[in-house]
Amino acid sequence: MLGEFMQYLFSGLTSGAIYALVGLGFALIYNASHVINFAQGEFVMLGGMSTVFLAAGGVPLPLAVAGAIAGTALVGLLLEKVAVERTKNASVVTLIIITIGASIVLRGLAQVVFDKQFHTLPAFTGDDPIVILGATITPQTLWVLGVTVAIVLVLQWFFGRTLWGKAILATSVNPLAARLVGINTSLVLLISFGLSAALGAIAGVLITPITSTNFEVGIMLGLKGFSAAILGGLGHPFGAVAGGLILGIVEAFGAGYISSDYKDAMAFIIILLALFFMPSGLFGKRGTDRV
């Protein structure tokens, strides 16, 4: 009984960590521009697919991972420069529609540049399972959890200790005041898109050895990441982490103890309940959140 419980818990934490990374990307861009970037899931797909094809082309896996993350970050920067910056005076709804269009375009390009097949990567440090309290956990799961914790710590340092991190926070609180004190809010938005794309790519790289990837994998992961961001409090980066972990754990226990048929629906049921009863999310401040 304990082994079964722990197995579901490990599964939920693994999924939740991925949702958390995707949710962090949503939160970063929302803070900088009040825009919900629905192309975030495609950054996950690009990270995984690029790594697969670079590795298949003979590039050593560490270099393939680094190249995929850098390439995806570049795509995020191009998306901001080509699409978002040119329409920065448009309404928020228009900008959201632009990101939805960008998501469709990126999926289409992925079919042409890559293919429509499912692909996987070898586990970073082998497949031999580790037994903990009667449950098995793979080394790749430890990679997912460890990298997520490391990213959260790095982001905490970035926002609390660096000028650019504080500039992003200042822009999120009051863009006009940030501009008045000399912060280049356009550059802040550009950096936010690059960071969010890199976070999505990291999530894609980490999950590919576990679940495989293809050109459509970003659709559901993007929705789950958005759900995590909403649950934690949209615009609250570390709330997105908590929201992602909660979603992952609820999904895993729901699939295990109720039915796996409702696994994907459970996340959206939680979001509906959150929107009804906690519209500001777990960590949002009622009455001061941006919508």
Side-chain angles (χ1 to χ4, degrees), residues 44-119:
V44 181
M45 175 270 295
L46 287 174
M49 292 289 279
S50 298
T51 303
V52 167
F53 279 82
L54 286 172
V59 179
L61 185 58
L63 292 179
V65 170
I69 294 171
T72 305
L74 179 60
V75 171
L77 295 175
L78 289 174
L79 172 60
E80 195 281 331
K81 292 295 290 184
V82 173
V84 176
E85 185 181 271
R86 294 175 182 272
T87 55
K88 61 183 177 182
N89 294 322
S91 68
V92 171
V93 173
T94 300
L95 292 172
I96 291 173
I97 291 172
I98 288 172
T99 67
I100 294 173
S103 172
I104 296 170
V105 169
L106 289 174
R107 281 201 302 277
L109 289 174
Q111 295 180 64
V112 175
V113 175
F114 304 120
D115 57 32
K116 298 182 180 181
Q117 306 302 314
F118 280 89
H119 300 276

Side-chain angles (χ1 to χ4, degrees), residues 3-23:
E4 183 180 60
F5 177 88
M6 294 302 298
Q7 194 68 61
Y8 295 147
L9 179 61
F10 290 147
S11 176
L13 288 174
T14 303
S15 299
I18 296 299
Y19 302 158
L21 290 178
V22 182

Side-chain angles (χ1 to χ4, degrees), residues 129-147:
I130 302 167
V131 179
I132 302 176
L133 297 176
T136 59
I137 185 171
T138 64
Q140 190 64 31
T141 295
L142 296 179
W143 272 97
V144 172
L145 298 175
V147 170

Side-chain angles (χ1 to χ4, degrees), residues 16-273:
I18 296 299
Y19 302 158
L21 290 178
V22 182
L24 274 171
F26 277 103
L28 284 173
I29 291 178
Y30 183 81
N31 269 341
S33 65
H34 303 186
V35 172
I36 299 171
N37 176 29
F38 283 106
Q40 187 65 32
E42 311 318 316
F43 296 151
V44 181
M45 175 270 295
L46 287 174
M49 292 289 279
S50 298
T51 303
V52 167
F53 279 82
L54 286 172
V59 179
L61 185 58
L63 292 179
V65 170
I69 294 171
T72 305
L74 179 60
V75 171
L77 295 175
L78 289 174
L79 172 60
E80 195 281 331
K81 292 295 290 184
V82 173
V84 176
E85 185 181 271
R86 294 175 182 272
T87 55
K88 61 183 177 182
N89 294 322
S91 68
V92 171
V93 173
T94 300
L95 292 172
I96 291 173
I97 291 172
I98 288 172
T99 67
I100 294 173
S103 172
I104 296 170
V105 169
L106 289 174
R107 281 201 302 277
L109 289 174
Q111 295 180 64
V112 175
V113 175
F114 304 120
D115 57 32
K116 298 182 180 181
Q117 306 302 314
F118 280 89
H119 300 276
T120 190
L121 286 169
F124 296 169
T125 50
D127 295 311
D128 294 335
I130 302 167
V131 179
I132 302 176
L133 297 176
T136 59
I137 185 171
T138 64
Q140 190 64 31
T141 295
L142 296 179
W143 272 97
V144 172
L145 298 175
V147 170
T148 301
V149 170
I151 287 174
V152 169
L153 293 175
V154 168
L155 286 178
Q156 188 174 26
W157 168 82
F158 176 73
F159 286 122
R161 299 290 182 179
T162 68
L163 286 177
W164 279 113
K166 292 177 181 179
I168 293 175
L169 291 178
T171 302
S172 72
V173 173
N174 192 321
L176 177 58
R179 285 195 294 271
L180 290 176
V181 298
I183 294 174
N184 188 338
T185 55
S186 296
L187 185 57
V188 165
L189 179 57
L190 181 66
I191 292 172
S192 297
F193 264 86
L195 281 175
S196 68
L199 287 173
I202 292 170
V205 171
L206 291 172
I207 202 172
T208 297
I210 299 174
T211 63
S212 73
T213 187
N214 81 331
F215 76 99
E216 290 183 315
V217 73
I219 298 174
M220 188 57 69
L221 286 174
L223 290 174
K224 298 288 182 67
F226 176 58
S227 299
I230 290 290
L231 181 59
L234 191 58
H236 194 294
F238 303 112
V241 175
L245 293 175
I246 290 170
L247 286 180
I249 290 171
V250 169
E251 275 190 0
F253 280 102
Y257 290 120
I258 301 175
S259 173
S260 60
D261 293 337
Y262 304 111
K263 179 177 180 289
D264 291 330
M266 289 173 187
F268 304 117
I269 291 173
I270 290 175
I271 293 311
L272 284 175
L273 293 174

